[in-house]
Amino acid sequence: MKLLTNQTKLRGTLQVPADKSISHRSVMFGAISYGETVIHNFLRAQDCLSTLQLFRNLGVEITEEIDQTIRINGKGIEGLCPSSSPLDCGNSGTTVRLVSGILAGAAFSSTLIGDASLSKRPMNRIIDPLTQMNARITGATEKGLLPLKIDQTNQLIPITYEMPVASAQVKSAILFGSLQAEGTTTIIEKTPSRNHTEEMIQQFGGRIQQSGKEITLVGPQKLTGCEVNIPGDISSAAFFIVAGLLCPESEITLKNVGINPTRTGILDVVKQMNGQIKLTEEDSVNQSATIQVKTSELQGIEIGGAIIPRLIDELPVIALLATQAKGTTRIYDAEELKVKETNRIDAVATELTKLGAKIQATEDGLIIEGPTPLRVFQKKQQVSSHNDHRIGMMLQIAALLVETGEIELAEAEAVAISYPQFFGDLAKLVQGTSNE
Ligand code: S3P
């Protein structure tokens, strides 16, 4: 696909699509609760549609209305039925890892499969704690790769588990297991990760406690269906935040963006880099706000430690931001990037180097020198998304800064994993209109 290049004056107002993490979880909680769950503003992107189809295959009654409202008639975990075929999680790590926690205690056996990218991602991180909980779960190889086979077990037992990596997916798999185990499960998180599962357990009438680094849940618990309003995804907003900061004479407004504090590391980074960014219309109930950004002169910074899980999915586009900031930006403690949809440390360094960025991959992050004008070295420069939605979108934002020449993005279709309307929404900002 030919990317849009050489843009100034991005202007307008966008509603970014719904939060992916919350969309997945709203279907999962709706499916395992009792009674009706109504989800407003569900993300109709490939990853979340994988979750939706998976629960239909487990016999859950789900109806979709035209306005992105989903109704689920939940009959509890015991209401789930065995699927006649393997459960396909597509490209989605959130689907396979969280559903494993749900199916760990089910009264039937299941097999979970995924696409080529998901089939390379590590599952031992959930196999280990779920096995400690008495689950009978095995990967295809010792490395714990897909397909995952989850066999029927007698009864899950609670565990105390110190998280070896900061991962909301692992934490959530254990929490879904703990809802079925008898007794107190304790999770110790050295570095906090996104807390949507904890919040939604409460929203669906469950009880969970957090004290410092310890999360405790006393099971078993039955949850009750409810109404869920999903805000826009800050991880999708991130691409336009960076576009607005970098394209000359730009001013962009992003409405109804989720600002759960476990997700807002990018806002802290932009402020620390001296970016002009403003939050208005803050809604504390829905944890959302309007975000306004303007073209800015940026300063390089250090990004590591506890902020990393709060911006892990935004790091590719933050790396792009750093190519235009004055001085050195060092991203460290981010080795988790290597096990995302692709190795994002390598993919970001390889692709931005093709556009003239001074960027070096390290063991646990990236070192970027700026500001460096982005440009192409051939009349028609090829770049690749590496079949990773966030790399694809980051490269389109990078291309906006390239003044002459053509850029062709291979595997552009990956963008539909989280943001099918991305290119159309960007076109609106180029025209100075809105998608409201
Ligand atoms: C997610 C958690 C993060 C994140 C992913 C979504 C979630 O993964 O990168 O895009 O919804 O729980 P990890 O748990 O592997 O850090």
Side-chain angles (χ1 to χ4, degrees):
M1 170 179 181
K2 189 174 162 211
L3 294 179
L4 197 60
T5 53
N6 190 28
Q7 291 300 315
T8 59
K9 298 194 186 79
L10 294 189
R11 278 157 200 258
T13 303
L14 286 186
Q15 289 270 357
V16 292
D19 189 279
K20 184 156 84 70
S21 292
I22 302 177
S23 293
H24 281 298
R25 286 164 173 79
S26 60
V27 173
M28 295 176 191
F29 279 109
I32 65 165
S33 295
Y34 290 84
E36 189 178 59
T37 288
V38 183
I39 307 165
H40 300 286
N41 193 30
F42 177 75
L43 176 64
R44 288 192 53 82
Q46 276 174 22
D47 258 12
C48 299
L49 294 175
S50 293
T51 295
L52 206 65
Q53 186 55 45
L54 186 148
F55 280 96
R56 282 193 168 128
N57 291 349
L58 291 170
V60 181
E61 218 181 286
I62 302 175
T63 48
E64 290 175 74
E65 293 169 15
I66 32 167
D67 61 347
Q68 295 182 312
T69 299
I70 305 270
R71 281 175 202 275
I72 302 181
N73 184 10
K75 297 192 173 123
I77 294 185
E78 52 267 49
L80 300 178
C81 304
S83 166
S84 54
S85 53
L87 296 163
D88 191 353
C89 302
N91 188 248
S92 174
T94 305
T95 309
V96 69
R97 296 199 176 112
L98 273 60
V99 164
S100 295
I102 293 173
L103 294 178
F108 52 84
S109 300
S110 308
T111 302
L112 298 173
I113 58 169
D115 72 3
S117 150
L118 194 59
S119 300
K120 288 192 207 123
R121 296 179 66 186
M123 296 301 149
N124 276 340
R125 52 179 61 199
I126 52 147
I127 294 176
D128 291 348
L130 291 175
T131 303
Q132 288 178 34
M133 296 181 87
N134 228 6
R136 294 171 59 209
I137 172 167
T138 44
T141 64
E142 272 191 7
K143 276 173 147 179
L145 301 183
L146 296 187
L148 280 187
K149 181 98 177 56
I150 306 177
D151 284 313
Q152 189 182 340
T153 188
N154 291 330
Q155 168 69 49
L156 293 185
I157 54 170
I159 53 168
T160 294
Y161 193 73
E162 188 165 337
M163 298 279 297
V165 285
S167 164
Q169 293 177 355
V170 175
K171 173 176 64 175
S172 303
I174 301 169
L175 287 173
F176 277 118
S178 74
L179 287 167
Q180 306 167 67
E182 207 167 308
T184 307
T185 292
T186 303
I187 300 171
I188 302 149
E189 267 199 308
K190 279 177 274 185
T191 312
S193 60
R194 65 190 67 193
N195 66 356
H196 302 301
T197 303
E198 295 93 304
E199 291 196 335
M200 291 178 83
I201 286 174
Q202 289 179 315
Q203 193 179 355
F204 282 78
R207 296 167 310 281
I208 182 164
Q209 263 164 1
Q210 168 108 41
S211 161
K213 294 181 188 317
E214 280 190 17
I215 301 163
T216 50
L217 187 142
V218 183
Q221 288 189 28
K222 287 194 161 100
L223 303 177
T224 312
C226 66
E227 202 154 335
V228 184
N229 287 303
I230 307 180
D233 198 328
I234 192 163
S235 299
S236 298
F239 298 100
F240 298 118
I241 291 175
V242 170
L245 291 167
L246 297 187
C247 287
E249 298 173 68
S250 297
E251 195 165 345
I252 296 175
T253 301
L254 304 161
K255 307 229 22 153
N256 185 34
V257 182
I259 52 160
N260 173 314
T262 61
R263 298 282 302 280
T264 50
I266 185 168
L267 303 181
D268 300 350
V269 158
V270 169
K271 284 178 202 153
Q272 217 191 322
M273 292 176 101
N274 287 338
Q276 297 190 68
I277 190 161
K278 200 166 85 184
L279 264 63
T280 59
E281 300 179 285
E282 283 189 47
D283 174 342
S284 56
V285 177
N286 288 319
Q287 295 194 92
S288 64
T290 294
I291 299 177
Q292 285 169 291
V293 286
K294 280 187 191 166
T295 313
S296 304
E297 295 277 320
L298 302 166
Q299 187 64 48
I301 58 166
E302 298 269 307
I303 307 171
I307 199 169
I308 295 294
R310 295 179 54 233
L311 46 63
I312 188 76
D313 291 340
E314 290 65 76
L315 283 172
V317 81
I318 288 173
L320 167 65
L321 192 64
T323 66
Q324 305 308 305
K326 195 169 162 215
T328 307
T329 294
R330 191 167 71 97
I331 299 170
Y332 57 98
D333 292 334
E335 51 276 269
E336 275 296 296
L337 288 178
K338 292 181 184 168
V339 291
K340 295 296 177 189
E341 285 81 332
T342 187
N343 178 336
R344 286 185 176 160
I345 293 182
D346 285 354
V348 168
T350 305
E351 299 306 318
L352 286 180
T353 300
K354 288 184 190 167
L355 299 179
K358 292 199 183 114
I359 180 163
Q360 187 197 326
T362 66
E363 256 318 292
D364 66 347
L366 292 155
I367 298 173
I368 305 132
E369 301 290 341
T372 313
L374 298 187
R375 61 197 180 95
V376 294
F377 296 88
Q378 298 156 7
K379 216 168 119 218
K380 209 175 193 177
Q381 178 69 55
Q382 284 278 345
V383 292
S384 169
S385 74
H386 296 232
N387 237 326
D388 180 326
H389 53 133
R390 300 200 201 282
I391 301 295
M393 289 187 273
M394 179 278 284
L395 287 169
Q396 168 57 92
I397 303 303
L400 299 174
L401 308 179
V402 174
E403 286 176 13
T404 49
E406 259 185 44
I407 305 179
E408 184 76 25
L409 176 66
E411 298 175 318
E413 62 286 352
V415 164
I417 288 293
S418 62
Y419 198 162
Q421 319 83 347
F422 171 73
F423 294 105
D425 280 354
L426 177 61
K428 298 254 162 53
L429 296 178
V430 168
Q431 292 151 13
T433 54
S434 89
N435 69 358
E436 284 185 287

